[in-house]
Amino acid sequence: MSEVRFGQAINRALIDAMTADPSVILLGEDVARPGGPFGVTRGLLDKFGPERVRDTPISEAAITGAAVGAAMTGLRPIVEIMFMDFVTLTMDALVNQAAKARFMFGGQSSVPMVVRMPHGGGINAGPQHSQCLEAWLAHVPGLKVVCPATVADAYSLTRAAIVDDDPVIVIEHKALYAAKGELADSPTATPIGRARIAREGRDATIVTYGAMVSVALAAAVELAQDGVEADVIDLRSLQPWDEATVLASLTRTHRLIICHEAVEAFGIGAEIAARMADVGFDELDAPIVRVGAPFMPPPFAKTLEDWYRPDAAKIVAAVKKTMS
Amino acid sequence: MSEVRFGQAINRALIDAMTADPSVILLGEDVARPGGPFGVTRGLLDKFGPERVRDTPISEAAITGAAVGAAMTGLRPIVEIMFMDFVTLTMDALVNQAAKARFMFGGQSSVPMVVRMPHGGGINAGPQHSQCLEAWLAHVPGLKVVCPATVADAYSLTRAAIVDDDPVIVIEHKALYAAKGELADSPTATPIGRARIAREGRDATIVTYGAMVSVALAAAVELAQDGVEADVIDLRSLQPWDEATVLASLTRTHRLIICHEAVEAFGIGAEIAARMADVGFDELDAPIVRVGAPFMPPPFAKTLEDWYRPDAAKIVAAVKKTMS
Amino acid sequence: MGRTDPPSATSQLLELYRAMRLVREAEERLGALFADGEIPGFIHLSIGQEAVSVGVAAALQQHDTLASNHRGHGHAIAKGLDLDRFFLEILGKRDGYCRGRGGSMHVADMTVGMLGANGIVGAGLPIAVGSALAHKLRRTGHIAVVFFGDGAMAEGVLHESLNLAQLWTLPVLFVCENNGWSEFTEAARQLATDPQRMAAAYSMRALQVDGNDVVAVAAAARMAVAQIRAGEGPCLLECKTRRVRGHYEGDAQKYRDAGDIATALRNDPLVRCEVQAIAAGAPQETIDAIKAEIADRVDAAVATARSGAPPAPVDAFADVYSPTHELPS
Amino acid sequence: MGRTDPPSATSQLLELYRAMRLVREAEERLGALFADGEIPGFIHLSIGQEAVSVGVAAALQQHDTLASNHRGHGHAIAKGLDLDRFFLEILGKRDGYCRGRGGSMHVADMTVGMLGANGIVGAGLPIAVGSALAHKLRRTGHIAVVFFGDGAMAEGVLHESLNLAQLWTLPVLFVCENNGWSEFTEAARQLATDPQRMAAAYSMRALQVDGNDVVAVAAAARMAVAQIRAGEGPCLLECKTRRVRGHYEGDAQKYRDAGDIATALRNDPLVRCEVQAIAAGAPQETIDAIKAEIADRVDAAVATARSGAPPAPVDAFADVYSPTHELPS
Ligand SMILES: Cc1ncc(C[n+]2csc(CCOP(=O)(O)OP(=O)(O)O)c2C)c(N)n1
Ligand SMILES: Cc1ncc(C[n+]2csc(CCOP(=O)(O)OP(=O)(O)O)c2C)c(N)n1
Ligand SMILES: [Mg+2]
Ligand SMILES: [Mg+2]
């Protein structure tokens, strides 16, 4: 066990995966010599050489499309998209090619590729460098989507994504890269699709993921001072997501709050709320409340961005709303 | 009043809009000389000339991006994307440029552009020519999204989209182009954001849009034979969507079913269900049930596609589930 | 290692003819089946362009990979796909290549490196580039090929793909099937450039060939492939041809004047090859025998396809993701 | 119509110098403000590249439109933006150009045709093409300009945009600011092509100029703009320059050797212009006066920006969509 940063945990996962399997390669802008825009791929070029660790041109569509072809021809490519906002340029390769290949070709070929991309705000990067667009990807049959919240999961979900035979999107919150946490000496992969109970409670269920997990935990601490014990569920995987764990929690607490940094409307939380309003309806004692960004692009100025991003106070208020 | 086809109604809306406003232009693959892949733009080249009606290269990203620049420079461009599946190639122009320009530039500039695109299946066009991806666009602050179900709305929503100062996506179901219906002699635009009660009932609310409206109406007829009277709400506009009308109906019926052709998970229905599980919670007497495509790409073969697409029987079953 | 006599020019011609005949016969049958309502969706025929797929495929090995486009029947058949499963797929049957989930625009066969037809114009380009990268890194000795139309030249990924392939010296052959049309519009009205000038922009080797002359296509492809296989990097092969049929079956081609179609018809690559073969000494009976043999093969495949079972939804639903497997520790 | 004396070469040089000085002073101040933590987010400076923005802007009129990129301060200031609102924006204040919602990467001013900096590499290209289409159709007599980097050359929209502009003979000037770097990687390691060869692929007129020589840039831009305005279609102007600072402020540039930075520094366009002006007879005092005057202007703008009020969320939220208006009947 040692304390490492979130970004380092991903770095270690990449190293371990590339050591274990020579078919794993890395493609992305500035990932090789510069070691990655956020330093996540530092040292990989030296370790694995320029054939397997490649700086690419600013050609997001082609490198993602190339990953599809490479995956169909025996490699396990990992693509880094510098900011999730640029996933706009890769949608065809992801959605019409990677996601569909296995199904569309009658199961002949799987597409074992990983696309890593940082999302989220908190660094005043403005409207085109702060978006959380994971709901788009979760809506696409054939893709898997994970989003680690802890250092341990940064490692284990990355490993799981790389070893998975299907295309997996790994969403990393850019504000988490520097966060510290414990990593086991011989960490392992974790199954995709299983949520983690980050805190146990009996009064309300808070479902969240990524950087919002620690915010929700802070809210839970605050709530506890008022005698409200919240279950905090870290989804870890958004597609597939762990319906059973959420439902089990709801069955205990009868109250559901969902929180994410993405715009609330049509976000990940909508699906969770919709499912629980169906399969969990009889367990619900109160309206399902979501906490997400308001319906506007991520703004630049500090006053605006602070207001825009969900915080513990908003989560506390949402939980209390379900208790009233 | 005369009977025209859905595609003709759009054609007439384009003609009327281009006649009324010389700044309206049309861009798209095969829209000019050939009159459009589905014949929707037939005759426009002759009427308005090659400056305003333009066949473009197969460059979806650039023509959508060009529409943004043209809209910021005094035109009202209408772009046709041949199949909604190709919207993957236009996401940057739509999401990072068109949707954000007004907000991001402090309200200095609006981006009055329209992007028309057919979605949906029913013609065995397979995995890359049948998708319903509207939930992506509804999740983007700054975009508006409409989806007409009737001939009258095909006209009036198209007019409304063109006159709107913001970027509007008009989603047309390709299986509707040949459908016939009544069009007023002097049809008008309709406000974006208002739903239509397609049928009144008291027992359950079916919320739907586009080609599923007629399917839902067929289901309602069937249900009526069993004494169940369903309200059928045609959303018409998906972003913004008419929450007040849905809530008002729910307040009467206490049961909610949402139906769309898109994949159920993370689809438009998720947001409607989530909102109603919040603001409409006290009105709900039963689980909210969604009817959508299963979590797989649209398949090609008839047996598969028929099974894949929601039909009246599935809607009837869903309504009955909420009554049991 | 023993050496067999090189095949005579005549027998090579006959092989090429046989391969083209198979594509032609299969597509003519598809056209008829479509007209009869036996094929769901829509299909794009490459009739009149067979010399391109067959000529290029003649230069390929089984495990070379191939990314195709919407007009991909010829590419698939020339690459060696099984005819039964090909027809089964296009008729939407359970035992088709894609288990009836893809149809004409998605036929694929991984066992012969056919990475799939593609419904997205231009999408095959980066897929081939990535496949070539895999060949290079895995040292398979194989190459990747992509077929794309002149209309596809306008897509942004063309540029990104050519640049990447040249930059990384990848073993990929870009085959531009320049047939003059992009759906219902002349490709010339869509392009301010052409394949040769685009290749030149990246200093990429490029060849231009009469795409209706299968011998010329095969010769050019062999030369290009030899260099690519030798590690000299990508090459662009432009095959000038003409679309004979409509964009898709059922296209009345009102936008096209009769002269254009007539010209295309006059230049039939099968007729040209047949004439060449006979001039080279092949007996007419041999040609007729090939025709008959292939008609029989296609008859049999069509019969099999027609009697194929429809696919079951439950199987399709189960195949969206790979079967789950153990995680490593 | 009366005729005034043409401005002397010296006064022209001084105008160009003044404009560059303004960009330089503003950016140096931005660098200092950033280092002091007064600027949120990140900023990309164009220090050392001022001759490009200023030289090109010298050929433009107020209502010519301009699409910029992430390194856009120079483009904005040279196009005539108000300095107060410029600094207010970058400091994230309510009265900034974007009301504090955009910051450095999104500065825009529609009143002078500045359609915005852009955080998406390459995205300005089709925007300029569309703007040029509007100029052409509306017969405004104006043109559109887009600035993009050498790194942006690899994006697919570059190809799509050049093709479209040439195909439709649009009044657009493509300015490639070729500064050798794409973030932390030499652009040469990303491109198998270059601006001249790309332009040639579309038969697009193209010029290459020393991008650190403001007189040369202005001359080339004037020539290109005159032809574009005359309806002769697009032109690509490549300005060879060097990035002096890091990719963004705070970039330690460990990937770059000292010699590269030293070379860039030695070739300062402001120093060159100053030397030229003095050689042409401008008194040193005039130069010094310009420096002082501009330092004062920037001081004042910075002071205004610092004391600006922060933006209010409620205003931002209200501005996502246009105010609703009446529908036509
Ligand atoms: C991204 C995308 N845009 C548009 C289409 C519709 N489309 C299908 S084929 C085609 C024309 C392609 O022309 P070309 O590449 O020359 O191939 P050809 O049909 O001539 O063989 C178009 C526009 C598509 N399938 N994908
Ligand atoms: C689509 C997209 N990909 C990647 C980035 C990240 N990025 C910002 S600037 C840049 C390098 C651009 O290089 P160049 O175009 O030469 O401009 P320069 O920075 O040299 O002025 C990159 C990769 C981005 N902003 N947008
Ligand atoms: Mg063609
Ligand atoms: Mg550069």
Side-chain angles (χ1 to χ4, degrees), chain D:
Chain D
M1 205 171 79
R3 257 192 151 204
T4 52
D5 278 344
S8 71
T10 316
S11 73
Q12 273 192 39
L13 268 170
L14 287 174
E15 272 324 296
L16 293 170
Y17 180 75
R18 180 193 304 278
M20 288 200 294
R21 189 74 233 159
L22 185 58
V23 174
R24 171 70 55 90
E25 188 76 32
E27 286 207 309
E28 282 185 339
R29 213 66 66 92
L30 285 175
L33 288 165
F34 185 86
D36 289 346
E38 293 195 56
I39 295 180
F42 38 94
I43 58 171
H44 310 85
L45 301 185
S46 67
I47 285 177
Q49 304 179 201
E50 296 89 346
V52 179
S53 46
V54 166
V56 170
L60 301 180
Q61 300 171 355
Q62 181 179 348
H63 295 296
D64 290 332
T65 44
L66 189 164
S68 170
N69 65 357
H70 59 287
R71 201 176 300 285
H73 303 145
H75 314 145
I77 294 174
K79 192 69 175 64
L81 265 71
D82 175 75
L83 216 58
D84 285 355
R85 295 182 66 196
F86 173 84
F87 274 98
L88 279 160
E89 183 55 36
I90 296 179
L91 268 64
K93 301 303 175 72
R94 185 194 61 196
D95 296 331
Y97 268 112
C98 311
R99 300 180 188 267
R101 299 170 205 156
S104 162
M105 267 190 295
H106 304 289
V107 171
D109 180 354
M110 301 301 149
T111 66
V112 298
M114 166 62 179
L115 304 181
N118 209 311
I120 306 297
V121 167
L125 287 149
I127 291 177
V129 167
S131 184
L133 177 65
H135 287 309
K136 182 170 170 149
L137 267 54
R138 297 180 59 221
R139 299 181 169 55
T140 63
H142 300 302
I143 74 158
V145 185
V146 54
F147 288 92
F148 58 99
D150 39 350
M153 294 276 310
E155 287 283 10
V157 278
L158 175 97
H159 165 57
E160 297 188 5
S161 299
L162 294 179
N163 182 52
L164 205 57
Q166 183 71 14
L167 194 70
W168 289 354
T169 324
L170 297 180
V172 52
L173 176 64
F174 295 98
V175 183
C176 179
E177 216 157 339
N178 190 344
N179 67 3
W181 289 93
S182 171
E183 288 214 345
F184 319 126
T185 303
E186 299 93 321
R189 286 210 301 127
Q190 305 190 346
L191 290 175
T193 181
D194 63 46
Q196 299 303 312
R197 285 189 288 156
M198 284 304 293
Y202 314 92
S203 314
M204 188 181 289
R205 286 179 300 123
L207 299 166
Q208 193 188 55
V209 70
D210 177 346
N212 284 32
D213 179 346
V214 69
V215 174
V217 173
R222 285 201 186 96
M223 193 168 93
V225 168
Q227 289 179 309
I228 295 168
R229 236 187 266 287
E232 292 176 31
C235 180
L236 187 149
L237 173 61
E238 177 189 4
C239 302
K240 302 271 267 188
T241 179
R242 297 301 292 174
R243 201 182 76 201
V244 168
R245 312 282 290 204
H247 170 61
Y248 41 51
E249 286 304 284
D251 172 5
Q253 303 203 69
K254 289 192 193 141
Y255 51 87
R256 197 172 173 189
D257 55 55
D260 185 52
I261 302 179
T263 312
L265 279 171
R266 263 199 303 281
N267 198 11
D268 189 322
L270 273 81
V271 173
R272 284 174 64 176
C273 185
E274 187 173 337
V275 168
Q276 275 179 288
I278 285 173
Q284 182 66 47
E285 302 85 73
T286 310
I287 304 263
D288 293 343
I290 291 174
K291 286 185 186 169
E293 170 214 319
I294 279 173
D296 288 350
R297 275 180 70 183
V298 172
D299 276 345
V302 169
T304 305
R306 277 185 164 143
S307 64
V314 50
D315 295 336
F317 188 67
D319 228 4
V320 177
Y321 294 97
S322 305
T324 43
H325 52 85
E326 283 307 294
L327 291 169
S329 64

Side-chain angles (χ1 to χ4, degrees), chain A residues 72-144:
Chain A
M72 290 172 76
T73 314
L75 297 182
R76 288 186 175 265
I78 304 171
V79 172
E80 175 172 315
I81 297 297
M82 202 182 283
F83 286 79
M84 187 178 201
D85 310 71
F86 315 154
V87 79
T88 50
L89 298 164
T90 68
M91 292 300 277
D92 196 75
L94 291 180
V95 174
N96 283 328
Q97 314 300 331
K100 296 186 172 47
R102 181 182 170 76
F103 173 89
M104 180 163 77
F105 300 146
Q108 286 185 63
S109 173
S110 57
V111 181
M113 64 186 269
V114 170
V115 188
R116 299 176 39 240
M117 51 185 85
H119 78 165
I123 59 169
N124 304 106
Q128 293 174 337
H129 285 72
S130 308
Q131 291 166 89
C132 296
L133 300 169
E134 53 273 13
W136 290 355
L137 303 168
H139 187 42
V140 179
L143 295 182
K144 295 180 180 175

Side-chain angles (χ1 to χ4, degrees), chain B residues 29 60 86, chain C residues 70-71 119 121 149-152 155 179 181 183 247:
Chain B
E29 293 156 19
E60 288 82 2
F86 314 155
Chain C
H70 59 286
R71 201 176 301 285
V121 167
D150 39 350
E155 287 283 11
N179 67 2
W181 288 93
E183 288 214 345
H247 170 61

